[in-house]
Amino acid sequence: MTIIPTPIVDEDSGKREIVDVDKKSKRRNKDGTEKQKPRVLITILMGIIAVAWLFPLLGLLITSLRPRADVEATGWWTAILNPFQQAWTLEPFAQAWTALDAGATFWNSVAVTVPATVLPVMFAAMAAYAFTFFQFRGKEIYFAVILGLMVVPVQIAVIPILQLFVWFGNTTGIQIIGQYPAAWIVHATFAMPLAIYILRNYMQTLPNSLIEAARVDGASHFQIFWRLIVPMSVPALASFAIFQFLWVWNDFFVAYLFIQSGPNQVLTQGLYTLLGQYGQGWQRVAAGSFITLVVPLVIFFGLQRFFVRGLTAGSVK
């Protein structure tokens, strides 16, 4: 049976318009799309997962705000049940700030993290451009090799890299170990495969007609890359930059091996020294952990929209 749309008169314009009554009755968003029914079960499940994920962090925060005697006497969850009957203090944060030498270690972390983020993003963007818009023999094989390098953990290559740095220092007299460039090289090298993969997937979604038009106008690859590809790839570049920044900022393993203790040590190394020889400084570690969290949280929430757009780009064509 065919349903004939009901004619409805628009009184304001005096025109007769054919309108589907069923479509008219449906609620729609401002952009004209149909409103979806709320998925209550999924929302509840995501809420439970979020709370479970934040539960240890909450315990860490409460522990860092209580006097040491109270922490050793009762569990942190008792402070939630009776928050107004607890003795709260900021002394662990003051102790952690002083013991961390936050004024120096903070800038050391910045000096390591920023170049170790910029270098892989810059070189990976160039490589991704070549894999996307260049035609050369063995392109897919080279790209497959790069993807294979994604499964190689940094722990497996630590000894060869250390031996290489020692040989370089003995040969040239330029000592890399203990300096910022050691961490830059290691972080950038192991970040390149994932960066190339993400950026190539994103660049494949860009309109090829725009690139061809630029070539017809006489633009070189250098001009196309910097004036067209880079501005249009900002979401993907920002998403990987956030990912790399968080990884390098929170890293302890590479910093411990290649920067080592001394005037160039970063915040995560300072956290390790807060613990003490016998683990007696664990409350200061709890407070120091929140000091180191400030910058990653600001970076992530400030650029979160780029992070989501960049990671999902290229998944659907």
Side-chain angles (χ1 to χ4, degrees):
M1 178 178 179
T2 304
I3 300 176
I4 301 176
T6 305
I8 297 178
V9 177
D10 188 351
E11 295 180 355
D12 296 332
S13 60
K15 298 179 180 179
R16 184 175 295 272
E17 182 183 6
I18 303 298
V19 179
D20 190 342
V21 177
D22 293 336
K23 291 184 179 181
K24 194 76 174 180
S25 62
K26 292 180 180 179
R27 295 182 178 180
R28 296 184 176 274
N29 297 316
K30 293 182 179 180
D31 57 357
T33 59
E34 182 181 346
K35 286 188 176 181
Q36 299 291 334
K37 295 182 180 179
R39 301 180 179 179
V40 180
L41 182 60
I42 296 179
T43 303
I44 295 175
L45 181 60
M46 292 297 103
I48 293 174
I49 294 175
V51 171
W53 188 268
L54 293 175
F55 203 66
L57 188 64
L58 178 62
L60 192 69
L61 177 61
I62 294 176
T63 299
S64 63
L65 291 174
R66 300 178 68 196
R68 186 179 181 87
D70 293 349
V71 172
E72 294 176 346
T74 58
W76 62 266
W77 51 89
T78 59
I80 299 179
L81 301 177
N82 297 306
F84 298 105
Q85 298 179 0
Q86 302 293 323
W88 303 100
T89 178
L90 293 175
E91 185 178 356
F93 283 91
Q95 295 176 354
W97 182 272
T98 303
L100 275 174
D101 191 13
T105 54
F106 172 82
W107 291 112
N108 289 339
S109 292
V110 172
V112 170
T113 305
V114 173
T117 302
V118 173
L119 288 174
V121 170
M122 181 176 63
F123 287 109
M126 297 178 184
Y129 175 82
F131 278 115
T132 305
F133 300 105
F134 284 8
Q135 296 297 330
F136 54 90
R137 182 177 299 179
K139 181 174 73 171
E140 298 301 328
I141 297 177
Y142 294 145
F143 188 70
V145 171
I146 291 175
L147 291 183
L149 293 175
M150 291 174 60
V151 303
V152 179
V154 64
Q155 292 82 0
I156 253 181
V158 162
I159 294 178
I161 294 174
L162 283 172
Q163 291 176 341
L164 177 63
F165 285 172
V166 170
W167 171 84
F168 182 83
N170 295 334
T171 303
T172 63
I174 302 175
Q175 296 298 327
I176 299 180
I177 297 178
Q179 306 299 323
Y180 298 142
W184 298 347
I185 294 171
V186 176
H187 282 302
T189 301
F190 282 88
M192 286 284 287
L194 180 60
I196 294 173
Y197 174 73
I198 292 176
L199 295 177
R200 178 181 180 266
N201 286 348
Y202 186 89
M203 290 181 185
Q204 284 183 330
T205 65
L206 300 178
N208 195 39
S209 58
L210 187 62
I211 310 301
E212 295 297 333
R215 289 175 181 173
V216 171
D217 291 339
S220 63
H221 285 294
F222 182 84
Q223 293 173 324
I224 293 173
F225 177 76
W226 287 109
R227 295 186 180 183
L228 290 178
I229 301 300
V230 171
M232 290 190 296
S233 301
V234 167
L237 294 171
S239 67
F240 181 78
I242 296 170
F243 186 84
Q244 176 72 356
F245 185 94
L246 297 180
W247 177 34
V248 178
W249 184 272
N250 295 323
D251 173 75
F252 171 77
F253 182 74
V254 173
Y256 181 76
L257 290 178
F258 293 95
I259 295 182
Q260 303 176 352
S261 59
N264 294 330
Q265 74 173 7
V266 297
L267 279 171
T268 51
Q269 292 176 273
L271 284 178
Y272 179 73
T273 60
L274 290 181
L275 187 61
Q277 184 177 1
Y278 301 104
Q280 71 275 13
W282 51 269
Q283 191 182 24
R284 291 188 301 173
V285 173
S289 299
F290 278 92
I291 295 175
T292 62
L293 276 176
V294 174
V295 173
L297 287 177
V298 171
I299 294 295
F300 179 78
F301 287 110
L303 301 175
Q304 186 178 14
R305 59 192 181 94
F306 293 111
F307 185 75
V308 176
R309 287 173 55 191
L311 290 182
T312 56
S315 59
V316 179
K317 296 184 68 176

